[in-house]
């Protein structure tokens, strides 16, 4: 039976996870699941969980694990969704979320690869200020990068320890970075083609 690629993209905000995650999902013909985008969409139409999440997002804080995990668990409650593969963008962001992701995927659907899309902090800040999203104020950007170091960066070691991690340099033109991603993914031989 065919199945889709199961990928996670880690990286600072401003690393290009959204753009490259979208392109990867098109390439591998999987869904692109961005928890940040889900919250923005649900807040925009007034869904209570989305409005609650927005309070945290606007301050640059992480949305509490329970809220985020519920959203992902619900999306993946249908095994067909998982079978067809996914690019997870912006999840997991904490050790607790990584643990819950293992539980949600179970032994049937282990991750193929975790990509660490890496850019220097100065460049991430510059890109975030440039894109002008509502939650991209100087204070919230600083706080998010701080939380990335504290909460999310440790996941790099966790996944490296499992032999799942691939680091890709996120500096450069969008096309160039995308090619680098595909080459790095191909080189592992771990990810099924679309
Ligand atoms: P993003 O679209 O990935 O830049 O996320 C925007 C904001 O949504 C983040 O700054 C967090 O406040 C929140 N968020 C998105 N994903 C998560 C997550 N996995 N855990 C906690 N907060 C999240």
């Amino acid at each position: 039976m065919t199945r889709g690629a199961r990928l996670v993209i880690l990286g600072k905000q401003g690393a290009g996870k959204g753009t490259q995650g979208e392109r990867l999902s098109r390439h591998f013909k999987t869904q692109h699941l961005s928890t940040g985008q889900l919250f923005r969409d649900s807040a925009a139409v007034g869904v209570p969980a989305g409005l609650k999440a927005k309070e945290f997002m606007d301050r640059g804080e992480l949305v509490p694990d329970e809220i985020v995990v519920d959203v992902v668990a619900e999306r993946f409650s249908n095994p067909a969704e998982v079978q067809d593969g996914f690019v997870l963008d912006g999840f997991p962001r904490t050790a607790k979320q990584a643990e819950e992701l293992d539980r949600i995927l179970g032994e049937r659907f282990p991750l193929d690869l975790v990509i660490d899309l890496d850019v220097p902090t100065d460049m991430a800040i510059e890109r975030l200020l440039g894109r002008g999203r509502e939650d991209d104020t100087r204070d919230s950007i600083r706080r998010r990068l701080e939380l990335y170091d504290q909460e999310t960066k440790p996941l790099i070691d966790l996944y490296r320890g499992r032999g799942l991690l691939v680091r890709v340099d996120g500096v450069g033109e969008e096309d160039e970075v995308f090619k680098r991603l595909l080459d790095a993914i191909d080189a592992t031989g771990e990810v099924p083609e679309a």
Side-chain angles (χ1 to χ4, degrees):
M1 190 167 42
T2 60
R3 64 142 180 114
R6 296 190 287 265
L7 304 174
V8 165
I9 308 195
L10 292 178
K12 300 179 187 94
Q13 281 184 319
K17 294 193 299 296
T19 307
Q20 299 294 346
E22 183 67 47
R23 289 186 70 160
L24 284 175
S25 69
R26 252 183 279 136
H27 177 87
F28 287 105
K29 301 191 172 59
T30 66
Q31 62 171 313
H32 173 221
L33 186 58
S34 154
T35 42
Q37 193 58 49
L38 279 181
F39 291 137
R40 280 187 290 280
D41 291 346
S42 57
V45 294
V47 175
L51 293 172
K52 183 82 206 148
K54 191 173 185 302
E55 291 173 23
F56 294 91
M57 293 162 76
D58 286 346
R59 297 199 311 268
E61 297 295 332
L62 290 173
V63 175
D65 287 337
E66 311 80 70
I67 298 180
V68 192
V69 169
D70 273 0
V71 164
V72 177
E74 193 189 324
R75 176 66 82 101
F76 284 167
S77 61
N78 174 4
E81 293 266 344
V82 189
Q83 179 75 26
D84 292 342
F86 52 80
V87 176
L88 267 179
D89 157 11
F91 182 91
R93 264 180 158 102
T94 66
K96 176 71 184 165
Q97 292 177 18
E99 189 186 317
E100 292 291 321
L101 178 60
D102 287 342
R103 187 183 56 75
I104 291 167
L105 296 177
E107 285 174 11
R108 256 183 93 193
F109 301 116
L111 292 174
D112 294 316
L113 224 52
V114 175
I115 298 156
D116 170 22
L117 189 59
D118 189 45
V119 299
T121 301
D122 288 355
M123 181 174 289
I125 293 174
E126 214 171 286
R127 286 186 183 172
L128 291 173
L129 286 171
R131 75 182 178 183
R133 213 168 68 190
E134 200 186 334
D135 57 340
D136 288 336
T137 61
R138 273 192 190 274
D139 279 351
S140 75
I141 289 171
R142 192 185 39 75
R143 179 65 182 145
R144 280 185 268 155
L145 290 168
E146 191 176 276
L147 283 169
Y148 176 78
D149 276 346
Q150 287 169 13
E151 303 284 346
T152 310
K153 221 169 154 188
L155 302 185
I156 291 176
D157 285 337
L158 172 85
Y159 289 120
R160 185 183 289 120
R162 293 190 194 171
L164 289 176
L165 194 85
V166 174
R167 194 189 147 279
V168 174
D169 181 2
V171 178
E173 294 297 321
E174 189 186 312
D175 286 350
E176 189 187 337
V177 174
F178 184 60
K179 178 165 188 322
R180 226 179 266 154
L181 277 163
L182 289 185
D183 288 348
I185 292 171
D186 268 1
T188 68
E190 295 294 331
V191 178
E193 266 300 325

